[in-house]
Amino acid sequence: MNHKQAWVYHGEKPKAGRRLLLLESDELKLALPLIYRLIHPDEIQMREDWFLSDTGSQSVSWNEKYLSLVPKLQRVTSLRNEPSSLSEPLRSLNLSLNEYFSDFGWRMVRKELSQIKKRQKKAHIELSKDIIVKLKSYMEQGKFESFDQAIDNLLSEVSDKEEA
């Protein structure tokens, strides 16, 4: 279950670039903590341009938007591991997020989410300097452009030898 729900622009729709998308079910694990952090009233005061103007005011409409958004977030959080029953609550949450964030704000949310996804894909390991020197020498011999390529090649060589 991975449908893409498009962002409904509040201002003029951009003529170029990628269109903004709302949350998808496979992003929830990473996105929910970010959203919970960003919708907090303190964040609105720090990043006013991220939210619609009536969201940022301390008025009844702001309270209503915030108070309706939190239970939807909680519902999606509790159902995130049950894809069959997630469709409608996620659609409802996305509509509320669209009414809460400005176009610029949602673009920044997507940018932060993208950074979180990138960090999840990377791991850092410590290697001694002598291993790094050997690896760099191997990279020069094999004309590899990155450590990833060199290590991947070494691992596939080992795998090939084990299969033979």
Side-chain angles (χ1 to χ4, degrees), residues 92-160:
S92 177
L93 171 64
N94 276 333
L95 291 175
S96 292
L97 289 170
N98 206 149
E99 294 172 1
Y100 201 77
F101 286 95
S102 67
D103 294 345
F104 173 76
W106 191 251
R107 185 171 290 107
M108 295 298 101
V109 170
R110 293 303 305 190
K111 190 182 267 188
E112 281 196 34
L113 185 56
S114 175
Q115 290 299 316
I116 291 169
K117 286 178 181 179
K118 278 185 198 172
R119 277 186 237 116
Q120 292 289 317
K121 289 181 181 178
K122 297 203 177 249
H124 298 277
I125 56 173
E126 291 185 26
L127 299 172
S128 63
K129 287 191 178 197
D130 61 326
I131 291 177
I132 291 175
V133 169
K134 289 178 185 176
L135 190 55
K136 285 182 178 179
S137 172
Y138 180 76
M139 287 172 62
E140 288 175 13
Q141 291 170 3
K143 295 186 173 45
F144 297 107
E145 295 177 12
S146 69
F147 287 114
D148 281 357
Q149 290 176 345
I151 292 171
D152 187 48
N153 190 61
L154 285 168
L155 292 172
S156 59
E157 284 179 12
V158 168
S159 176
D160 291 346

Side-chain angles (χ1 to χ4, degrees), residues 48-83:
E48 290 181 20
D49 57 340
W50 285 36
F51 304 92
L52 293 176
S53 57
D54 61 337
T55 304
S57 65
Q58 297 295 326
S59 66
V60 174
S61 67
W62 173 82
N63 287 328
E64 287 175 8
K65 282 184 178 182
Y66 180 77
L67 293 174
S68 73
L69 184 58
V70 171
K72 291 175 183 177
L73 268 168
Q74 291 170 337
R75 177 126 171 87
V76 167
T77 300
S78 67
L79 294 173
R80 73 176 179 263
N81 295 325
E82 301 173 33

